[in-house]
Amino acid sequence: MADVTFTVDGKQITAPAGTLLIEACKTAGIEIPAFCYYPGLSLQAACRMCVVRIEKMPKLQTACTTPVAEGMIVYTETPDIAQARKATLQLLLGNHPLDCPVCDAGGECELQDMTFKYGAADSFYAEPKNHREEQKWSPVVYFDRPRCILCYRCVRMCGEGMDVFALGIQNRGSSSVIAPNVPAHMSPDDLAHVDCEQCGMCIDACPVGALTSGTYRYKTRPWEMNHVATICTHCGDGCKTTLGVRSTSDGSEIVRGDNRDKSGINGDFLCNKGRYAFDFANHEDRITQPLVRQPNGELKPVSWEVALDHVGSKLRALRDTRGGKSIGVIGSNRITNEEAYLLQKFARTVLGTNNIDHHRTADYVSFAQSLAGHTGRTASLNDTLKAPAILLVGGDPTNQSPATAWNLRTDVRLNRARLYVANSEEIKLRRQAKAFVQLAPFGYNAFAAYLAGDNAAAASAASDSNALSAFRDAVKAEENLLILIGSELRGAELKKLIDFGLTIPGAKFALLSDYVNSRGAADMGLLPDMLPGYMPVGSPSDLATEYAVPNEPGLDMLEMFDSAGRGNLSALYIVGSNPVARYGIDPASLKDTFIVVQDMFLTETAALADVVLPAANLYEKSGSVTNSYGDLQQVNKAGDRAGVRSDFEMIVRIADKIGADMRKLVPFGKGLRADMGQSRGAQSGEADRHAVWLTANNLEPRLSPFDAFAILDEIQRLVPGYNILRLQLLSGNDQHLSPVAPTPLVQIGTRRDQVLPANDSLFTSGTLGRFSTMLGDLQQNEAQRLIQIQTAAD
Amino acid sequence: MPTLVSHPDEVKVISRRFGQGAADIEKYLELDGYKAVQRAIAEGPEWIINTMKASGLRGRGGAGFPTGMKWSFVPKVSEKPKYVLVNGDESEPGTCKDHVLFLHDPHSIIEGTMIAGLAIGSRLGFIYLRGEYRYLLKIVEKAVADAYAKGFLGKNIFGSGIDFDIITQTGAGAYEVGEESALMESLEGKRGVPRIKPPFPAVVGLYGGPTVINNAETIANAPHILLMGGEAYAKLGTERNGGTRLFGISGHVERPGVYELPMGYSLRKAIYEVAGGIKDGKKLKAVVPGGSSCPVLTADEIDVGLDFDQMGKAGTMLGSGGIVVLDETVSIVEFALRVISFYQHESCGWCIPCREGTDWIKKTLTRVHAGGGSKKDIDNVQYLAENMMGRTFCPLGDAAAMPTLGFVKKFRKEFEEYIDGKRVDTPLITIDQLVGAH
Amino acid sequence: MSTVANTIFSPELAARFDHLVTIYPLSRSALVPMLLYAQDEIGYVSDAAVAEIAQRLDLVELEVRNVLSYYSMLRTKPAGKYNVQVCTNISCMLRGGYKILDHCKETLGIGHKQTTPDGVFSLEEVECIGACCWAPAMQINYDFHEDLTPEKVDVLFQMYRDGQGKDVK
């Protein structure tokens, strides 16, 4: 729309016609207070806090519902406005409990802030306040009714934002109350509950302390925490979560996760895992001492030095006696890019083996190879919020990548995007879809063929051929289509779908995977046949040239275990992975293999190990991760636990013990003559600008092999597609990368399909999720609900 | 059955069929029924709207918006269907005129709805009655069925080639639904909470389509106006206040009832002559002139004409035409408490000033009335009411604040008497909140 | 949507609901009338009624409850066979509405929103019912009774007790 110019508090402002006054003012730096207004949700005009004076209007007007108009003259802070807001606050405070000293929201409360600003401190009511008991709606959502100011943000967030509709408004007038969808009288425990996705968005949206989080309530005060914005370790969306950490006797404990930052790639959104499932770090089963198996078979705690010596000497001996190719390495989907890169480099250059793999949750190799020769065809998570049309084939974002689902719903709601869903299941996102076609089980290959024009494939793709045909016509008529692909599609069928998509002008693609760095693990070459950046082993590449990399592809995950079973695998080095449980490996097959496991817990895999090294998790380290879409983001260290080490450090120290050249493994030491801080100065509380500049421009000294940035330098230098903008990364922003396999193509379809989707639900997260008490509680909560439904049905 | 009353000063336009069995379609036809709509079909929309404009008819629900102008705001061309909506959610305390109208002349409302439909190019009308009026709904439903049976409603009405349908609808107990946009919400099966305006119903109304929404009495006037001519109707009233209207006179009068008086008729005469004066020979203390939301007039302030403008000048409103008369024995504090209790009970709870303001005024007045008040309470009540005025989402906040301000300002002494312990009453226990209240 | 296999309502009401959902531009418009009619038949809006109405209109039950709880004529607990609703709003108050209410309380031995032990009467103080000019007034179920006096109330109660009261639904 055309721009209009208007005046606010004497300041000339220009904004597109139709912009809401409250938004236009915010953009211009004029903050208008509001409780009920929430960007992107439907308008309420209920709280009356955003009232402003508009010339020629007799009454004060609500800025949240007024579109800007040419020549409009607006005042946002006059005595009558201040009085109106003050009176509104006085009315709210009349029944508000004023238990701010113990309220979770104390210090982060919009009502407190407004009261402070407008000085509505005097109370003139003699009547007692309406007190109600706090209600536990779910393990993670608590409702304190007297604190509620009825802004309806939670109701809209749950309904419009989440498409869950678990919260409503009941009664009317001063008896109005936010009500959850399981009323007390219909609940076996006579208490009201929410039957929902437990995302906690209602808590996020609540301007006061009416909705509080089960993980955080009454734990601490906001100002007693440090707030660290980092990337959630769970699904492949890679949301930014802000972790509140507090010092403890053995490190620093994460006490809260939320989205207070809202600067991340996830925008307003954070799901239950990002919000609550940080508690594995504090789980009582966590290992904090290295364990070495004794001759009697027991795992015994030893010092780090002893453990690392043992690992180093043993691996060196096995490499030197049985050859590097007798050793296997398994990486993780939850370690940083730097760690993943370092691990494969360690395997290839120190151990001398290409036997390296990880739990693949999507076929990124075929994805990259299918897009070889094309540029600008990979989508960012940001595209899911803006694309005019989306084709979702396979996958279930609602449960497996909730931020993607949030964005798609938002895109449909606010931008009227056209969503096309093809799935063998009736996934929830079909409710937002313009067209949904239910595919036959395993019908993706036929569907891809059908899209590409093979009409004979229709019968095996879906039972409803008319729907299928209309679906294809609609999809083919689109331009700038965003094609989201679930991990069900792999190899040749994935290529078939992408080939079809490439015929649509402006189409972009993304392949959804399951964990925070599933994509990074593939990009970084945790693969037996691919070097970082999908450079095939044996073909010329910078990496292969610079370091001595074995020329033959190594063993993949299953081959390694087969080899172990035959007694040919001398050692297996497993970093942050639990393949024994995931792939159902027979423990007996590993009896002749020397196993080293880096993990937080004594998992099924770790329990078989000869050495277990207690590892830090993603929230306890720094580095970078790449989400499903190829968006790179920075991970910041939030929590800390005495006794554990980052995987990066452990790899380096093991390499050191093996006798590797540290400077070759981690190219540190560059820039030793740099300014070491003599001339630096930062005012208290400010960033050290000198340091920021040096870091941003890749000029800071790498002082030791433990500096992950030294590896990032190398990733940037050697991995095609990882042309990182440092300042973007360090500012906590996301950046889209698209490593693309080199042409000519390696034949797709000849590789073994080793993709094993995690199929996590909203309340599971692989092995790690089992150690999250909160996720456990939510699973139990969900199970109980299902039993109740079953009982009710009987 | 409500008793019908009559007085020589009445000018019977809209009430001319009352008591004649016109709920029966044959009787209605005998009394010039369904002639206006046929004329309307013949003359066309422009003529209808011009006639309505000329009549000076202003909305009888309370706000007094000129009806012809309202109809003219509806866009001629619309992608979405247009609707006519008849507001029979008569709920303003002191008001029972539509009650009589539905009872005695339901076809005039049906005919009026059709005329409005013809005027704006709508094919579907709704007649919404408050839930308490179930027996009237039966009457209206029968009238609608009879009209269908005669072929007056449905396809090709009166051979015009135009289709028109009417759906009757019932509420379920909510004053707020009398507000036009809240009524649309209710009719769409939602909580009766008002909508953000603009857009106004004439542009985006029911189901998102352009909608004319009129009070039942307003709509029932349309057939009469078309038959007698706009100017003739206008002449019955005063300048800018055309015609007559139904006034419900209740409270302490000898002959309470619904009377049709010309606009501008003297309030004093309405009380003392038409309604027979103050009951049992008592003295007049005050009058709430147009439903409970109108600021009170004292006994000295009743020499005023009953039209929108004169009442406005007198510092009150013509409102819904419900004149409530208070004799000298009435405790204004108790009365004010009863009024605010109503608005507290009926506040929809959407916006803070109304939801919390009505509640705190009620709580404070309850205490004052029970003898527990302090001087500061009177100021507090006034402060609360003043800070509700013009600040709420819909007019209910004003409706609660205006009378409260009137009582406190004009009868402050009485409040002080309660506070000083000079006057003690048994506490007034007002209606609890809803059953489902948590 | 519309038709439901195992309806909890009488065949007549079920048929009426089947029709009701078809007449509006959007079926949800039938919600408030359906709740009222369901209450007329069952005596209150039961959980089962909420569930079936939600099913008929393709709404979540919460949404039905949101609406249900808004309207003061709708109740979620049983009332007496005859629900006596005494208006005490201004016009009735001025002409003895509270006296009538007190008389009802005394005669029936119950208070606001209570039901007599035999289940015949329940009592409710209500806001303006639109009978201001014939005050004091009350409704027994949907029937209006006007110009009340305590004596008239006694006669009415006897009539209803004897099963001779009107009962329009």
Side-chain angles (χ1 to χ4, degrees), chain B residues 206-286:
Chain B
L206 193 62
Y207 307 117
T211 304
V212 148
I213 173 163
N214 281 125
N215 174 257
E217 183 189 346
T218 313
I219 276 287
N221 267 304
H224 300 289
I225 290 169
L226 295 201
L227 287 184
M228 71 195 288
E231 287 76 9
Y233 181 82
K235 260 187 237 154
L236 297 175
T238 50
E239 197 189 340
R240 305 203 321 120
N241 287 271
T244 59
R245 86 174 285 188
L246 296 174
F247 290 96
I249 309 179
S250 67
H252 292 140
V253 288
E254 282 292 344
R255 283 196 307 273
V258 176
Y259 299 91
E260 182 169 8
L261 298 169
M263 294 293 275
Y265 191 81
S266 154
L267 173 59
R268 176 178 295 278
K269 277 172 73 182
I271 295 169
Y272 282 98
E273 293 180 21
V274 177
I278 310 303
K279 193 169 170 269
D280 302 331
K282 295 231 166 55
K283 270 196 228 151
L284 176 68
K285 181 171 193 173

Side-chain angles (χ1 to χ4, degrees), chain C:
Chain C
M1 223 190 293
S2 69
T3 47
V4 165
N6 295 312
T7 180
I8 62 155
F9 302 114
S10 66
E12 297 74 32
L13 188 58
R16 187 172 184 187
F17 283 176
D18 290 347
H19 173 66
L20 207 54
V21 298
T22 64
I23 64 171
Y24 298 97
L26 287 175
S27 64
R28 187 179 169 154
S29 284
L31 178 54
V32 174
M34 279 167 100
L35 289 168
L36 261 186
Y37 300 151
Q39 172 169 294
D40 293 345
E41 180 163 298
I42 304 173
Y44 66 107
V45 186
S46 62
D47 290 337
V50 168
E52 182 172 331
I53 291 171
Q55 188 192 346
R56 282 173 177 274
L57 296 176
D58 200 16
L59 296 172
V60 293
E61 288 182 28
L62 177 72
E63 192 55 35
V64 175
R65 290 182 194 284
N66 294 345
V67 173
L68 160 64
S69 63
Y70 182 85
Y71 295 94
S72 50
M73 286 172 68
L74 298 170
R75 52 181 179 261
T76 51
K77 294 192 177 74
K81 185 172 180 213
Y82 301 112
N83 188 30
V84 179
Q85 303 144 73
V86 183
C87 173
T88 60
N89 209 309
I90 50 174
S91 297
C92 285
M93 172 191 181
L94 293 175
R95 294 183 79 97
Y98 278 99
K99 222 180 279 170
I100 299 296
L101 178 66
D102 288 344
H103 182 74
C104 291
K105 283 181 180 169
E106 217 169 283
T107 315
L108 299 174
I110 50 174
H112 173 62
K113 295 218 164 157
Q114 292 178 349
T115 306
T116 54
D118 60 6
V120 176
F121 289 106
S122 51
L123 181 63
E124 216 179 309
E125 179 188 0
V126 294
E127 294 295 1
C128 184
I129 53 176
C132 316
C133 291
W134 317 289
M138 66 183 191
Q139 279 187 284
I140 298 180
N141 293 351
Y142 289 111
D143 298 316
F144 279 86
H145 301 283
E146 293 121 359
D147 296 314
L148 295 173
T149 59
E151 296 72 32
K152 272 192 182 172
V153 170
D154 291 341
V155 172
L156 276 171
F157 285 170
Q158 195 53 50
M159 253 170 66
Y160 277 92
R161 261 196 206 98
D162 295 344
Q164 286 165 10
K166 306 181 281 176
D167 193 9
V168 172
K169 287 235 165 96

Side-chain angles (χ1 to χ4, degrees), chain A residues 637-704:
Chain A
K637 180 172 173 163
D640 203 356
R641 186 66 177 264
V644 308
R645 298 284 185 272
S646 73
D647 291 306
F648 194 96
E649 180 181 341
M650 289 189 276
I651 299 164
V652 168
R653 293 194 62 183
I654 289 168
D656 192 24
K657 294 287 184 192
I658 291 174
D661 180 348
M662 283 301 98
R663 273 178 195 278
K664 262 182 111 174
L665 184 66
V666 184
F668 69 97
K670 194 173 77 173
L672 268 183
R673 277 186 298 277
D675 179 346
M676 298 300 288
Q678 303 91 325
S679 65
R680 293 184 195 179
Q683 284 79 23
S684 174
E686 285 186 17
D688 179 340
R689 298 180 197 96
H690 194 117
V692 168
W693 174 256
L694 287 174
T695 311
N697 289 288
N698 191 18
L699 293 168
E700 62 174 1
R702 314 289 181 217
L703 297 178
S704 84

Side-chain angles (χ1 to χ4, degrees), chain B residues 178-416:
Chain B
E179 196 279 338
E180 56 184 16
S181 62
L183 192 145
M184 292 177 198
E185 287 285 294
S186 175
L187 183 42
E188 290 180 13
K190 300 176 195 156
R191 294 164 58 83
V193 170
R195 295 177 178 173
I196 293 167
K197 289 183 231 176
F200 290 96
V203 183
V204 181
L206 193 62
Y207 307 117
T211 304
V212 148
I213 173 163
N214 281 125
N215 174 257
E217 183 189 346
T218 313
I219 276 287
N221 267 304
H224 300 289
I225 290 169
L226 295 201
L227 287 184
M228 71 195 288
E231 287 76 9
Y233 181 82
K235 260 187 237 154
L236 297 175
T238 50
E239 197 189 340
R240 305 203 321 120
N241 287 271
T244 59
R245 86 174 285 188
L246 296 174
F247 290 96
I249 309 179
S250 67
H252 292 140
V253 288
E254 282 292 344
R255 283 196 307 273
V258 176
Y259 299 91
E260 182 169 8
L261 298 169
M263 294 293 275
Y265 191 81
S266 154
L267 173 59
R268 176 178 295 278
K269 277 172 73 182
I271 295 169
Y272 282 98
E273 293 180 21
V274 177
I278 310 303
K279 193 169 170 269
D280 302 331
K282 295 231 166 55
K283 270 196 228 151
L284 176 68
K285 181 171 193 173
V287 181
V288 174
S292 63
S293 59
C294 302
V296 66
L297 294 173
T298 65
D300 307 330
E301 295 172 325
I302 61 167
D303 289 304
V304 56
L306 288 166
D307 70 28
F308 290 103
D309 301 328
Q310 294 184 60
M311 295 299 273
K313 264 185 223 142
T316 184
M317 300 184 306
L318 187 63
S320 62
I323 301 170
V324 184
V325 179
L326 287 66
D327 75 14
E328 57 190 321
T329 65
V330 177
S331 156
I332 291 294
V333 177
E334 190 165 296
F335 195 85
L337 171 56
R338 189 62 190 85
V339 169
I340 198 68
S341 298
F342 170 73
Y343 290 106
Q344 189 266 0
H345 186 257
E346 299 299 334
S347 168
C348 76
W350 190 252
C351 72
I352 296 166
C354 175
R355 179 181 76 228
E356 304 292 335
T358 53
D359 197 42
W360 283 111
I361 295 176
K362 176 187 165 178
K363 281 180 181 164
T364 310
L365 284 185
T366 303
R367 185 161 40 78
V368 169
H369 179 257
S374 69
K375 282 260 158 53
K376 202 174 146 242
D377 286 324
I378 310 176
D379 297 330
N380 286 348
V381 167
Q382 187 167 340
Y383 175 83
L384 286 168
E386 277 166 354
N387 279 287
M388 286 164 68
M389 282 296 298
R391 307 259 178 81
T392 54
F393 188 95
C394 84
L396 194 145
D398 291 353
M402 281 185 299
T404 304
L405 283 172
F407 295 130
V408 173
K409 284 181 180 165
K410 290 183 180 173
F411 294 93
R412 190 178 175 99
K413 237 185 83 206
E414 260 191 72
F415 288 84
E416 288 170 351

Side-chain angles (χ1 to χ4, degrees), chain A residues 160-191:
Chain A
E160 298 168 22
M162 292 303 299
D163 189 30
V164 167
F165 297 95
L167 299 179
I169 317 165
Q170 291 183 1
N171 304 333
R172 69 178 189 223
S174 57
S175 300
S176 299
V177 61
I178 303 300
N181 56 354
V182 182
H185 76 273
M186 292 182 78
S187 183
D189 57 4
D190 287 322
L191 297 169

